[in-house]
Amino acid sequence: MSAPSARMLSGPYYPRSFTILVIAAMGVLIVPLASGLINAVHVLQGVLDTQRQFTRDSLAVTRDVRQVVDSVSQLQRAAGQYHLLQDKEFGPALHARFDALQKQLAELEPRLSDPLARSTLATLRTRSLALYRTLQPGRFLDSERFHALDPAFDDLHVGAENLLHEADTAVEGELQVLEATVQATQQRLIALGLALIPLTLLLAAVFSWLINRPIKQLKASIQQLGQADLGPLPAISGPQDIVELGREMDWLRQRLQALEEQKLQFLRQVSHELKTPLASLREGVALLGDELAGSLNPRQRAIVTIMDTGSRDLQQRIEDLLRYGNLQDARPPAVPVALAEALASVLERQRLALEARRIVVETEFAAPAVLADRALLETVLDNLLSNAVKFSPDEGRILVRSEVADDAVVLWFCDQGEGIPEALRARVFEPFFQGPRQPASTVKGSGLGLSIVRESVLAAGGAIGIVDAPPWSTCFRLSLPLPP
């Protein structure tokens, strides 16, 4: 087989390989998630660095301010030792305490960002310098003059305590700013995550469509072949390897179509080849039955009867083969057909079988006519009635009912046999299929009866299926076109 009749498209948005498509889908889906994760890590790292720097700065400021408070106390103690004891050996200690205080104030100044704290620091430096000019070593102060400086020392202590309080307040303010920054960062990350969710879902939907589209097309093609529909397959678009698979499926369809044509041709040829010798055989059996070759004793007549029955059964099977083959070729024209008349003709042909089994056929024709070919409709009714008689118990009932539903005529054919298992209902319409529950009292058929029914119904533009409708054990439900 050469080029397929179905369209096989490898779209411009498809890669050459299905595997590459899947890998590309996974890669594209990972990109927004990875970028969001990297961005989140970067933001969190920035917040963490800021928090670390804030912790170091706040601890350093608090430590230095507390050292200033201690240095003020140490300066007052050193001044007292020098002036009250009037001992020159304490002069270097006094000078060292003052230098240490000034150094601490100088180092603390650039770390303070609060204007009020910087102002308090400047006042503290000015007052400490003015006080040291009075206390500096070189001359001693008596007790009265030294104690007169207590308010100045108190001002230094108050200034140092104020500086400590203002530094703590500034740290708390910066902590609130940091908390606000962390909260804003958290909201930003949440917004980023919420933005990535629809983007990821959109990309997932796009790639799911790109991946599932050729798979659904292949599934539709497989289902079409499974339903014995050998027409052109649906168009398949996708990666190159999927398109190649579609071409192989179309090649398989063409092979099946060729085999089906060969099978039908073989059935027609065999059927026609068998009809000629069968006609001669039936003619010879008829001559023997008419005793044209001489009289027959009872045993010979029984043999002739068996031969006649066998030849008739063989003729019926050959006619079934011919009818099945002809149904594959063309659809006969449809005309309004009265159901009662068609069923009456079929009942007349089946009258002996019905009377022998004492089976009653009940009819309920709410829809009196259908749009179909008269011969095809009688073939459907005849095969369904034969099947129902075959599987019905003696003295059983068969229901034939029609109704109008969904702009079509629905025809029910029900019997009281053993029923058809659910697993076999899809196979009973296959050619030559015969279920395991075959009545022992009947002659084994060809397995084409229900296949002919299905092909006849499809040729009439209808549909057929098996449904449950208690108290009946088996019900065939046919839908046929409604007459205008």
Side-chain angles (χ1 to χ4, degrees), residues 303-317:
I303 295 175
V304 170
T305 303
I306 294 174
M307 293 174 61
D308 182 64
T309 302
S311 62
R312 290 177 183 275
D313 181 62
L314 182 57
Q315 182 179 2
Q316 181 64 38
R317 297 192 183 190

mmCIF file with all atom_site columns, all heavy atoms in Angstrom, residues 303-317:
data_model
loop_
_atom_site.group_PDB
_atom_site.id
_atom_site.type_symbol
_atom_site.label_atom_id
_atom_site.label_alt_id
_atom_site.label_comp_id
_atom_site.label_asym_id
_atom_site.label_entity_id
_atom_site.label_seq_id
_atom_site.pdbx_PDB_ins_code
_atom_site.Cartn_x
_atom_site.Cartn_y
_atom_site.Cartn_z
_atom_site.occupancy
_atom_site.B_iso_or_equiv
_atom_site.pdbx_formal_charge
_atom_site.auth_seq_id
_atom_site.auth_comp_id
_atom_site.auth_asym_id
_atom_site.auth_atom_id
_atom_site.pdbx_PDB_model_num
ATOM 1   N N   . ILE A 1 303 ? -34.935 -41.454 4.201  1.00 0.00 ? 303 ILE A N   1
ATOM 2   C CA  . ILE A 1 303 ? -33.624 -40.965 3.737  1.00 0.00 ? 303 ILE A CA  1
ATOM 3   C C   . ILE A 1 303 ? -33.809 -39.796 2.783  1.00 0.00 ? 303 ILE A C   1
ATOM 4   O O   . ILE A 1 303 ? -33.078 -38.784 2.852  1.00 0.00 ? 303 ILE A O   1
ATOM 5   C CB  . ILE A 1 303 ? -32.843 -42.107 3.070  1.00 0.00 ? 303 ILE A CB  1
ATOM 6   C CG1 . ILE A 1 303 ? -32.502 -43.192 4.102  1.00 0.00 ? 303 ILE A CG1 1
ATOM 7   C CG2 . ILE A 1 303 ? -31.576 -41.577 2.414  1.00 0.00 ? 303 ILE A CG2 1
ATOM 8   C CD1 . ILE A 1 303 ? -31.846 -44.407 3.503  1.00 0.00 ? 303 ILE A CD1 1
ATOM 9   N N   . VAL A 1 304 ? -34.790 -39.897 1.867  1.00 0.00 ? 304 VAL A N   1
ATOM 10  C CA  . VAL A 1 304 ? -35.063 -38.799 0.938  1.00 0.00 ? 304 VAL A CA  1
ATOM 11  C C   . VAL A 1 304 ? -35.474 -37.538 1.710  1.00 0.00 ? 304 VAL A C   1
ATOM 12  O O   . VAL A 1 304 ? -35.070 -36.417 1.373  1.00 0.00 ? 304 VAL A O   1
ATOM 13  C CB  . VAL A 1 304 ? -36.143 -39.221 -0.071 1.00 0.00 ? 304 VAL A CB  1
ATOM 14  C CG1 . VAL A 1 304 ? -36.603 -38.012 -0.892 1.00 0.00 ? 304 VAL A CG1 1
ATOM 15  C CG2 . VAL A 1 304 ? -35.614 -40.311 -1.005 1.00 0.00 ? 304 VAL A CG2 1
ATOM 16  N N   . THR A 1 305 ? -36.270 -37.720 2.762  1.00 0.00 ? 305 THR A N   1
ATOM 17  C CA  . THR A 1 305 ? -36.685 -36.563 3.580  1.00 0.00 ? 305 THR A CA  1
ATOM 18  C C   . THR A 1 305 ? -35.477 -35.899 4.250  1.00 0.00 ? 305 THR A C   1
ATOM 19  O O   . THR A 1 305 ? -35.371 -34.667 4.300  1.00 0.00 ? 305 THR A O   1
ATOM 20  C CB  . THR A 1 305 ? -37.685 -37.010 4.652  1.00 0.00 ? 305 THR A CB  1
ATOM 21  O OG1 . THR A 1 305 ? -38.812 -37.635 4.009  1.00 0.00 ? 305 THR A OG1 1
ATOM 22  C CG2 . THR A 1 305 ? -38.143 -35.829 5.497  1.00 0.00 ? 305 THR A CG2 1
ATOM 23  N N   . ILE A 1 306 ? -34.553 -36.708 4.769  1.00 0.00 ? 306 ILE A N   1
ATOM 24  C CA  . ILE A 1 306 ? -33.335 -36.152 5.374  1.00 0.00 ? 306 ILE A CA  1
ATOM 25  C C   . ILE A 1 306 ? -32.529 -35.395 4.339  1.00 0.00 ? 306 ILE A C   1
ATOM 26  O O   . ILE A 1 306 ? -32.007 -34.289 4.596  1.00 0.00 ? 306 ILE A O   1
ATOM 27  C CB  . ILE A 1 306 ? -32.504 -37.273 6.008  1.00 0.00 ? 306 ILE A CB  1
ATOM 28  C CG1 . ILE A 1 306 ? -33.258 -37.893 7.199  1.00 0.00 ? 306 ILE A CG1 1
ATOM 29  C CG2 . ILE A 1 306 ? -31.147 -36.755 6.460  1.00 0.00 ? 306 ILE A CG2 1
ATOM 30  C CD1 . ILE A 1 306 ? -32.566 -39.099 7.786  1.00 0.00 ? 306 ILE A CD1 1
ATOM 31  N N   . MET A 1 307 ? -32.394 -35.974 3.130  1.00 0.00 ? 307 MET A N   1
ATOM 32  C CA  . MET A 1 307 ? -31.640 -35.302 2.071  1.00 0.00 ? 307 MET A CA  1
ATOM 33  C C   . MET A 1 307 ? -32.320 -33.986 1.683  1.00 0.00 ? 307 MET A C   1
ATOM 34  O O   . MET A 1 307 ? -31.643 -32.975 1.460  1.00 0.00 ? 307 MET A O   1
ATOM 35  C CB  . MET A 1 307 ? -31.530 -36.224 0.851  1.00 0.00 ? 307 MET A CB  1
ATOM 36  C CG  . MET A 1 307 ? -30.674 -37.467 1.101  1.00 0.00 ? 307 MET A CG  1
ATOM 37  S SD  . MET A 1 307 ? -30.709 -38.615 -0.320 1.00 0.00 ? 307 MET A SD  1
ATOM 38  C CE  . MET A 1 307 ? -30.014 -37.587 -1.592 1.00 0.00 ? 307 MET A CE  1
ATOM 39  N N   . ASP A 1 308 ? -33.643 -33.979 1.611  1.00 0.00 ? 308 ASP A N   1
ATOM 40  C CA  . ASP A 1 308 ? -34.350 -32.756 1.249  1.00 0.00 ? 308 ASP A CA  1
ATOM 41  C C   . ASP A 1 308 ? -34.168 -31.675 2.323  1.00 0.00 ? 308 ASP A C   1
ATOM 42  O O   . ASP A 1 308 ? -33.930 -30.494 2.010  1.00 0.00 ? 308 ASP A O   1
ATOM 43  C CB  . ASP A 1 308 ? -35.841 -33.065 1.058  1.00 0.00 ? 308 ASP A CB  1
ATOM 44  C CG  . ASP A 1 308 ? -36.628 -31.839 0.624  1.00 0.00 ? 308 ASP A CG  1
ATOM 45  O OD1 . ASP A 1 308 ? -36.374 -31.315 -0.480 1.00 0.00 ? 308 ASP A OD1 1
ATOM 46  O OD2 . ASP A 1 308 ? -37.480 -31.373 1.423  1.00 0.00 ? 308 ASP A OD2 1
ATOM 47  N N   . THR A 1 309 ? -34.258 -32.097 3.598  1.00 0.00 ? 309 THR A N   1
ATOM 48  C CA  . THR A 1 309 ? -34.068 -31.122 4.692  1.00 0.00 ? 309 THR A CA  1
ATOM 49  C C   . THR A 1 309 ? -32.650 -30.548 4.679  1.00 0.00 ? 309 THR A C   1
ATOM 50  O O   . THR A 1 309 ? -32.436 -29.341 4.842  1.00 0.00 ? 309 THR A O   1
ATOM 51  C CB  . THR A 1 309 ? -34.356 -31.790 6.042  1.00 0.00 ? 309 THR A CB  1
ATOM 52  O OG1 . THR A 1 309 ? -35.689 -32.309 6.034  1.00 0.00 ? 309 THR A OG1 1
ATOM 53  C CG2 . THR A 1 309 ? -34.194 -30.798 7.183  1.00 0.00 ? 309 THR A CG2 1
ATOM 54  N N   . GLY A 1 310 ? -31.660 -31.419 4.463  1.00 0.00 ? 310 GLY A N   1
ATOM 55  C CA  . GLY A 1 310 ? -30.281 -30.955 4.419  1.00 0.00 ? 310 GLY A CA  1
ATOM 56  C C   . GLY A 1 310 ? -30.014 -30.019 3.258  1.00 0.00 ? 310 GLY A C   1
ATOM 57  O O   . GLY A 1 310 ? -29.301 -29.016 3.394  1.00 0.00 ? 310 GLY A O   1
ATOM 58  N N   . SER A 1 311 ? -30.590 -30.331 2.085  1.00 0.00 ? 311 SER A N   1
ATOM 59  C CA  . SER A 1 311 ? -30.382 -29.462 0.927  1.00 0.00 ? 311 SER A CA  1
ATOM 60  C C   . SER A 1 311 ? -31.051 -28.105 1.126  1.00 0.00 ? 311 SER A C   1
ATOM 61  O O   . SER A 1 311 ? -30.507 -27.067 0.726  1.00 0.00 ? 311 SER A O   1
ATOM 62  C CB  . SER A 1 311 ? -30.918 -30.143 -0.336 1.00 0.00 ? 311 SER A CB  1
ATOM 63  O OG  . SER A 1 311 ? -32.331 -30.367 -0.218 1.00 0.00 ? 311 SER A OG  1
ATOM 64  N N   . ARG A 1 312 ? -32.239 -28.088 1.752  1.00 0.00 ? 312 ARG A N   1
ATOM 65  C CA  . ARG A 1 312 ? -32.901 -26.803 2.037  1.00 0.00 ? 312 ARG A CA  1
ATOM 66  C C   . ARG A 1 312 ? -32.077 -25.959 3.030  1.00 0.00 ? 312 ARG A C   1
ATOM 67  O O   . ARG A 1 312 ? -31.950 -24.746 2.875  1.00 0.00 ? 312 ARG A O   1
ATOM 68  C CB  . ARG A 1 312 ? -34.302 -27.045 2.602  1.00 0.00 ? 312 ARG A CB  1
ATOM 69  C CG  . ARG A 1 312 ? -35.289 -27.590 1.583  1.00 0.00 ? 312 ARG A CG  1
ATOM 70  C CD  . ARG A 1 312 ? -36.650 -27.867 2.235  1.00 0.00 ? 312 ARG A CD  1
ATOM 71  N NE  . ARG A 1 312 ? -37.574 -28.441 1.289  1.00 0.00 ? 312 ARG A NE  1
ATOM 72  C CZ  . ARG A 1 312 ? -38.342 -27.732 0.441  1.00 0.00 ? 312 ARG A CZ  1
ATOM 73  N NH1 . ARG A 1 312 ? -38.254 -26.413 0.450  1.00 0.00 ? 312 ARG A NH1 1
ATOM 74  N NH2 . ARG A 1 312 ? -39.159 -28.335 -0.382 1.00 0.00 ? 312 ARG A NH2 1
ATOM 75  N N   . ASP A 1 313 ? -31.533 -26.638 4.056  1.00 0.00 ? 313 ASP A N   1
ATOM 76  C CA  . ASP A 1 313 ? -30.719 -25.911 5.022  1.00 0.00 ? 313 ASP A CA  1
ATOM 77  C C   . ASP A 1 313 ? -29.469 -25.349 4.356  1.00 0.00 ? 313 ASP A C   1
ATOM 78  O O   . ASP A 1 313 ? -29.054 -24.200 4.627  1.00 0.00 ? 313 ASP A O   1
ATOM 79  C CB  . ASP A 1 313 ? -30.343 -26.843 6.171  1.00 0.00 ? 313 ASP A CB  1
ATOM 80  C CG  . ASP A 1 313 ? -29.521 -26.133 7.227  1.00 0.00 ? 313 ASP A CG  1
ATOM 81  O OD1 . ASP A 1 313 ? -30.028 -25.170 7.838  1.00 0.00 ? 313 ASP A OD1 1
ATOM 82  O OD2 . ASP A 1 313 ? -28.354 -26.531 7.447  1.00 0.00 ? 313 ASP A OD2 1
ATOM 83  N N   . LEU A 1 314 ? -28.868 -26.143 3.472  1.00 0.00 ? 314 LEU A N   1
ATOM 84  C CA  . LEU A 1 314 ? -27.692 -25.668 2.752  1.00 0.00 ? 314 LEU A CA  1
ATOM 85  C C   . LEU A 1 314 ? -28.054 -24.500 1.841  1.00 0.00 ? 314 LEU A C   1
ATOM 86  O O   . LEU A 1 314 ? -27.299 -23.513 1.739  1.00 0.00 ? 314 LEU A O   1
ATOM 87  C CB  . LEU A 1 314 ? -27.088 -26.811 1.940  1.00 0.00 ? 314 LEU A CB  1
ATOM 88  C CG  . LEU A 1 314 ? -25.812 -26.488 1.151  1.00 0.00 ? 314 LEU A CG  1
ATOM 89  C CD1 . LEU A 1 314 ? -24.722 -25.971 2.074  1.00 0.00 ? 314 LEU A CD1 1
ATOM 90  C CD2 . LEU A 1 314 ? -25.340 -27.727 0.386  1.00 0.00 ? 314 LEU A CD2 1
ATOM 91  N N   . GLN A 1 315 ? -29.207 -24.547 1.203  1.00 0.00 ? 315 GLN A N   1
ATOM 92  C CA  . GLN A 1 315 ? -29.638 -23.440 0.355  1.00 0.00 ? 315 GLN A CA  1
ATOM 93  C C   . GLN A 1 315 ? -29.860 -22.167 1.179  1.00 0.00 ? 315 GLN A C   1
ATOM 94  O O   . GLN A 1 315 ? -29.499 -21.070 0.756  1.00 0.00 ? 315 GLN A O   1
ATOM 95  C CB  . GLN A 1 315 ? -30.920 -23.817 -0.391 1.00 0.00 ? 315 GLN A CB  1
ATOM 96  C CG  . GLN A 1 315 ? -31.398 -22.720 -1.340 1.00 0.00 ? 315 GLN A CG  1
ATOM 97  C CD  . GLN A 1 315 ? -32.654 -23.112 -2.087 1.00 0.00 ? 315 GLN A CD  1
ATOM 98  O OE1 . GLN A 1 315 ? -33.199 -24.195 -1.881 1.00 0.00 ? 315 GLN A OE1 1
ATOM 99  N NE2 . GLN A 1 315 ? -33.109 -22.249 -2.976 1.00 0.00 ? 315 GLN A NE2 1
ATOM 100 N N   . GLN A 1 316 ? -30.423 -22.332 2.387  1.00 0.00 ? 316 GLN A N   1
ATOM 101 C CA  . GLN A 1 316 ? -30.632 -21.169 3.249  1.00 0.00 ? 316 GLN A CA  1
ATOM 102 C C   . GLN A 1 316 ? -29.306 -20.517 3.635  1.00 0.00 ? 316 GLN A C   1
ATOM 103 O O   . GLN A 1 316 ? -29.169 -19.288 3.649  1.00 0.00 ? 316 GLN A O   1
ATOM 104 C CB  . GLN A 1 316 ? -31.410 -21.591 4.497  1.00 0.00 ? 316 GLN A CB  1
ATOM 105 C CG  . GLN A 1 316 ? -31.707 -20.471 5.474  1.00 0.00 ? 316 GLN A CG  1
ATOM 106 C CD  . GLN A 1 316 ? -32.618 -19.416 4.875  1.00 0.00 ? 316 GLN A CD  1
ATOM 107 O OE1 . GLN A 1 316 ? -33.542 -19.746 4.135  1.00 0.00 ? 316 GLN A OE1 1
ATOM 108 N NE2 . GLN A 1 316 ? -32.340 -18.146 5.171  1.00 0.00 ? 316 GLN A NE2 1
ATOM 109 N N   . ARG A 1 317 ? -28.325 -21.334 3.936  1.00 0.00 ? 317 ARG A N   1
ATOM 110 C CA  . ARG A 1 317 ? -27.022 -20.780 4.316  1.00 0.00 ? 317 ARG A CA  1
ATOM 111 C C   . ARG A 1 317 ? -26.356 -20.080 3.134  1.00 0.00 ? 317 ARG A C   1
ATOM 112 O O   . ARG A 1 317 ? -25.722 -19.038 3.289  1.00 0.00 ? 317 ARG A O   1
ATOM 113 C CB  . ARG A 1 317 ? -26.124 -21.886 4.846  1.00 0.00 ? 317 ARG A CB  1
ATOM 114 C CG  . ARG A 1 317 ? -26.672 -22.532 6.117  1.00 0.00 ? 317 ARG A CG  1
ATOM 115 C CD  . ARG A 1 317 ? -25.663 -23.412 6.781  1.00 0.00 ? 317 ARG A CD  1
ATOM 116 N NE  . ARG A 1 317 ? -26.232 -24.084 7.954  1.00 0.00 ? 317 ARG A NE  1
ATOM 117 C CZ  . ARG A 1 317 ? -25.525 -24.761 8.838  1.00 0.00 ? 317 ARG A CZ  1
ATOM 118 N NH1 . ARG A 1 317 ? -24.219 -24.874 8.670  1.00 0.00 ? 317 ARG A NH1 1
ATOM 119 N NH2 . ARG A 1 317 ? -26.100 -25.338 9.869  1.00 0.00 ? 317 ARG A NH2 1
#
